[in-house]
Amino acid sequence: MRRVYRPPLPLEKRIDLYRRSRALSDKEEARKVWENYRRTKPCRQMVMLLGTMTGKRVRCFYCCDSLGADIDHYTPVKVNFRSTFSWDNWLLVCPPCNRRKASSFPLDSSGVPLLLDPTQRDPWKHFFLDRSTGLIAPRYLEDDSTDPIAESTLEVLECLVDEAIAEGRLRAIRRFTRAVNDFLAHGGDSHHMKRLQQEIAEDDYGVSLWFLAWEGSREQPFADFVHRYPVRRRRLVRYSMKWPNIKSPV
């Protein structure tokens, strides 16, 4: 799972979704209308737009390992049918993740959702990445409990710790580590800066942000990069976040 940034919709598409939403009267009708909408050209266009949010390989918003092909309602239709046609409620996911998530929507005692929405939260605020295995785990909090959002997300999406997905993260970690080592070995020239940008652009798992802005920045060779090139590090963090209206963590 990686942070995904959602662009605003063109006005005409916002109006179209608003009208569809206002016409719904209950969850049963919402399901029927949604099934019909999925077979239309406007829906296919929205799927393509969601696909641009994860790069040219169009990865699943949840596992980041498979092709995103289905629209998942983060807040399920049965929970809030009014959000059926809400752009902010749509995630592009692979069929296996869509089946796993289904209508799951864990809430805390105050009604706050506990399933991580990668378009709203940076996963690294809730998960810790093990560089040696590619596995992610919930962070520990100050009271020694584990992060409830990460815990609930892993309960719903157990695939996030599957061996195949962990291996994908490892490959991304190795590529980015090599690129940083080469950058340092060549004195930070422009050619190797462009290579770092390319690695970030092709990082389906978001591990580059872990090593640039979170605890991974304390490990070598990333700690050396952060110390020697703080301005370029900030530039790469902003680049990895893609959309200029998102506040950088560094």
mmCIF file of all heavy atoms in Angstrom, residues 61-79:
data_model
loop_
_atom_site.group_PDB
_atom_site.id
_atom_site.type_symbol
_atom_site.label_atom_id
_atom_site.label_comp_id
_atom_site.label_asym_id
_atom_site.label_seq_id
_atom_site.Cartn_x
_atom_site.Cartn_y
_atom_site.Cartn_z
ATOM 1 N N PHE A 61 -4.824 0.082 -5.661
ATOM 2 C CA PHE A 61 -4.593 1.036 -4.576
ATOM 3 C C PHE A 61 -4.271 0.331 -3.259
ATOM 4 O O PHE A 61 -3.655 0.924 -2.382
ATOM 5 C CB PHE A 61 -5.833 1.912 -4.361
ATOM 6 C CG PHE A 61 -6.037 2.988 -5.394
ATOM 7 C CD1 PHE A 61 -5.413 2.926 -6.632
ATOM 8 C CD2 PHE A 61 -6.864 4.058 -5.135
ATOM 9 C CE1 PHE A 61 -5.619 3.912 -7.596
ATOM 10 C CE2 PHE A 61 -7.082 5.054 -6.078
ATOM 11 C CZ PHE A 61 -6.464 4.982 -7.314
ATOM 12 N N TYR A 62 -4.725 -0.916 -3.097
ATOM 13 C CA TYR A 62 -4.509 -1.625 -1.841
ATOM 14 C C TYR A 62 -3.184 -2.393 -1.836
ATOM 15 O O TYR A 62 -2.287 -2.089 -1.059
ATOM 16 C CB TYR A 62 -5.663 -2.583 -1.563
ATOM 17 C CG TYR A 62 -6.953 -1.912 -1.143
ATOM 18 C CD1 TYR A 62 -8.184 -2.380 -1.611
ATOM 19 C CD2 TYR A 62 -6.963 -0.828 -0.263
ATOM 20 C CE1 TYR A 62 -9.376 -1.784 -1.228
ATOM 21 C CE2 TYR A 62 -8.147 -0.229 0.124
ATOM 22 C CZ TYR A 62 -9.357 -0.709 -0.357
ATOM 23 O OH TYR A 62 -10.541 -0.120 0.013
ATOM 24 N N CYS A 63 -3.056 -3.392 -2.693
ATOM 25 C CA CYS A 63 -1.870 -4.258 -2.628
ATOM 26 C C CYS A 63 -0.693 -3.707 -3.428
ATOM 27 O O CYS A 63 0.446 -4.093 -3.179
ATOM 28 C CB CYS A 63 -2.208 -5.666 -3.097
ATOM 29 S SG CYS A 63 -2.471 -5.819 -4.887
ATOM 30 N N CYS A 64 -0.940 -2.851 -4.412
ATOM 31 C CA CYS A 64 0.093 -2.256 -5.278
ATOM 32 C C CYS A 64 0.799 -3.288 -6.147
ATOM 33 O O CYS A 64 1.749 -2.953 -6.853
ATOM 34 C CB CYS A 64 1.153 -1.504 -4.450
ATOM 35 S SG CYS A 64 0.500 -0.210 -3.406
ATOM 36 N N ASP A 65 0.350 -4.527 -6.108
ATOM 37 C CA ASP A 65 1.075 -5.601 -6.779
ATOM 38 C C ASP A 65 0.380 -6.100 -8.034
ATOM 39 O O ASP A 65 1.010 -6.728 -8.876
ATOM 40 C CB ASP A 65 1.265 -6.772 -5.799
ATOM 41 C CG ASP A 65 2.304 -7.766 -6.268
ATOM 42 O OD1 ASP A 65 3.478 -7.375 -6.392
ATOM 43 O OD2 ASP A 65 1.950 -8.932 -6.508
ATOM 44 N N SER A 66 -0.910 -5.833 -8.162
ATOM 45 C CA SER A 66 -1.693 -6.348 -9.284
ATOM 46 C C SER A 66 -2.346 -5.193 -10.044
ATOM 47 O O SER A 66 -2.397 -4.063 -9.557
ATOM 48 C CB SER A 66 -2.774 -7.320 -8.791
ATOM 49 O OG SER A 66 -2.190 -8.416 -8.112
ATOM 50 N N LEU A 67 -2.854 -5.516 -11.215
ATOM 51 C CA LEU A 67 -3.491 -4.508 -12.043
ATOM 52 C C LEU A 67 -4.803 -4.048 -11.419
ATOM 53 O O LEU A 67 -5.663 -4.854 -11.076
ATOM 54 C CB LEU A 67 -3.768 -5.087 -13.434
ATOM 55 C CG LEU A 67 -4.428 -4.150 -14.446
ATOM 56 C CD1 LEU A 67 -3.466 -3.037 -14.845
ATOM 57 C CD2 LEU A 67 -4.876 -4.940 -15.674
ATOM 58 N N GLY A 68 -4.970 -2.732 -11.283
ATOM 59 C CA GLY A 68 -6.224 -2.191 -10.807
ATOM 60 C C GLY A 68 -7.276 -2.283 -11.906
ATOM 61 O O GLY A 68 -7.068 -1.786 -13.008
ATOM 62 N N ALA A 69 -8.402 -2.905 -11.611
ATOM 63 C CA ALA A 69 -9.408 -3.141 -12.645
ATOM 64 C C ALA A 69 -10.824 -2.841 -12.187
ATOM 65 O O ALA A 69 -11.702 -2.618 -13.021
ATOM 66 C CB ALA A 69 -9.335 -4.587 -13.119
ATOM 67 N N ASP A 70 -11.072 -2.850 -10.881
ATOM 68 C CA ASP A 70 -12.418 -2.655 -10.347
ATOM 69 C C ASP A 70 -12.479 -1.390 -9.497
ATOM 70 O O ASP A 70 -11.494 -1.027 -8.847
ATOM 71 C CB ASP A 70 -12.835 -3.833 -9.462
ATOM 72 C CG ASP A 70 -12.979 -5.124 -10.238
ATOM 73 O OD1 ASP A 70 -13.082 -5.064 -11.475
ATOM 74 O OD2 ASP A 70 -12.987 -6.194 -9.590
ATOM 75 N N ILE A 71 -13.635 -0.757 -9.466
ATOM 76 C CA ILE A 71 -13.854 0.357 -8.540
ATOM 77 C C ILE A 71 -14.406 -0.205 -7.237
ATOM 78 O O ILE A 71 -15.420 -0.893 -7.217
ATOM 79 C CB ILE A 71 -14.837 1.392 -9.115
ATOM 80 C CG1 ILE A 71 -14.233 2.077 -10.344
ATOM 81 C CG2 ILE A 71 -15.174 2.447 -8.063
ATOM 82 C CD1 ILE A 71 -15.154 3.098 -10.996
ATOM 83 N N ASP A 72 -13.696 0.061 -6.157
ATOM 84 C CA ASP A 72 -14.170 -0.309 -4.821
ATOM 85 C C ASP A 72 -14.732 0.927 -4.141
ATOM 86 O O ASP A 72 -14.152 2.011 -4.234
ATOM 87 C CB ASP A 72 -13.028 -0.886 -3.984
ATOM 88 C CG ASP A 72 -13.444 -1.081 -2.535
ATOM 89 O OD1 ASP A 72 -14.401 -1.847 -2.305
ATOM 90 O OD2 ASP A 72 -12.827 -0.465 -1.639
ATOM 91 N N HIS A 73 -15.857 0.773 -3.460
ATOM 92 C CA HIS A 73 -16.392 1.846 -2.629
ATOM 93 C C HIS A 73 -15.739 1.733 -1.258
ATOM 94 O O HIS A 73 -16.001 0.775 -0.519
ATOM 95 C CB HIS A 73 -17.906 1.741 -2.505
ATOM 96 C CG HIS A 73 -18.630 1.960 -3.801
ATOM 97 N ND1 HIS A 73 -19.039 0.915 -4.615
ATOM 98 C CD2 HIS A 73 -18.987 3.104 -4.430
ATOM 99 C CE1 HIS A 73 -19.632 1.408 -5.682
ATOM 100 N NE2 HIS A 73 -19.623 2.734 -5.610
ATOM 101 N N TYR A 74 -14.891 2.697 -0.925
ATOM 102 C CA TYR A 74 -14.236 2.668 0.390
ATOM 103 C C TYR A 74 -15.292 2.567 1.485
ATOM 104 O O TYR A 74 -15.247 1.661 2.318
ATOM 105 C CB TYR A 74 -13.378 3.922 0.563
ATOM 106 C CG TYR A 74 -12.831 4.080 1.961
ATOM 107 C CD1 TYR A 74 -11.814 3.248 2.419
ATOM 108 C CD2 TYR A 74 -13.344 5.052 2.817
ATOM 109 C CE1 TYR A 74 -11.327 3.370 3.711
ATOM 110 C CE2 TYR A 74 -12.860 5.183 4.100
ATOM 111 C CZ TYR A 74 -11.850 4.341 4.547
ATOM 112 O OH TYR A 74 -11.379 4.467 5.831
ATOM 113 N N THR A 75 -16.245 3.492 1.507
ATOM 114 C CA THR A 75 -17.421 3.335 2.361
ATOM 115 C C THR A 75 -18.441 2.522 1.575
ATOM 116 O O THR A 75 -18.936 2.975 0.539
ATOM 117 C CB THR A 75 -18.042 4.693 2.732
ATOM 118 O OG1 THR A 75 -17.068 5.495 3.396
ATOM 119 C CG2 THR A 75 -19.246 4.504 3.646
ATOM 120 N N PRO A 76 -18.742 1.316 2.009
ATOM 121 C CA PRO A 76 -19.623 0.436 1.211
ATOM 122 C C PRO A 76 -21.009 1.032 0.987
ATOM 123 O O PRO A 76 -21.496 1.847 1.778
ATOM 124 C CB PRO A 76 -19.699 -0.832 2.072
ATOM 125 C CG PRO A 76 -18.472 -0.797 2.926
ATOM 126 C CD PRO A 76 -18.233 0.654 3.215
ATOM 127 N N VAL A 77 -21.623 0.596 -0.089
ATOM 128 C CA VAL A 77 -22.964 1.065 -0.435
ATOM 129 C C VAL A 77 -23.943 0.784 0.704
ATOM 130 O O VAL A 77 -24.811 1.613 1.015
ATOM 131 C CB VAL A 77 -23.446 0.413 -1.746
ATOM 132 C CG1 VAL A 77 -24.900 0.778 -2.032
ATOM 133 C CG2 VAL A 77 -22.544 0.823 -2.909
ATOM 134 N N LYS A 78 -23.799 -0.371 1.353
ATOM 135 C CA LYS A 78 -24.739 -0.720 2.416
ATOM 136 C C LYS A 78 -24.572 0.170 3.644
ATOM 137 O O LYS A 78 -25.495 0.293 4.459
ATOM 138 C CB LYS A 78 -24.574 -2.190 2.808
ATOM 139 C CG LYS A 78 -23.362 -2.501 3.651
ATOM 140 C CD LYS A 78 -23.403 -3.935 4.154
ATOM 141 C CE LYS A 78 -22.277 -4.230 5.128
ATOM 142 N NZ LYS A 78 -22.344 -5.612 5.651
ATOM 143 N N VAL A 79 -23.407 0.792 3.791
ATOM 144 C CA VAL A 79 -23.170 1.695 4.922
ATOM 145 C C VAL A 79 -23.695 3.097 4.629
ATOM 146 O O VAL A 79 -24.308 3.744 5.470
ATOM 147 C CB VAL A 79 -21.667 1.751 5.271
ATOM 148 C CG1 VAL A 79 -21.393 2.779 6.376
ATOM 149 C CG2 VAL A 79 -21.184 0.368 5.706
#
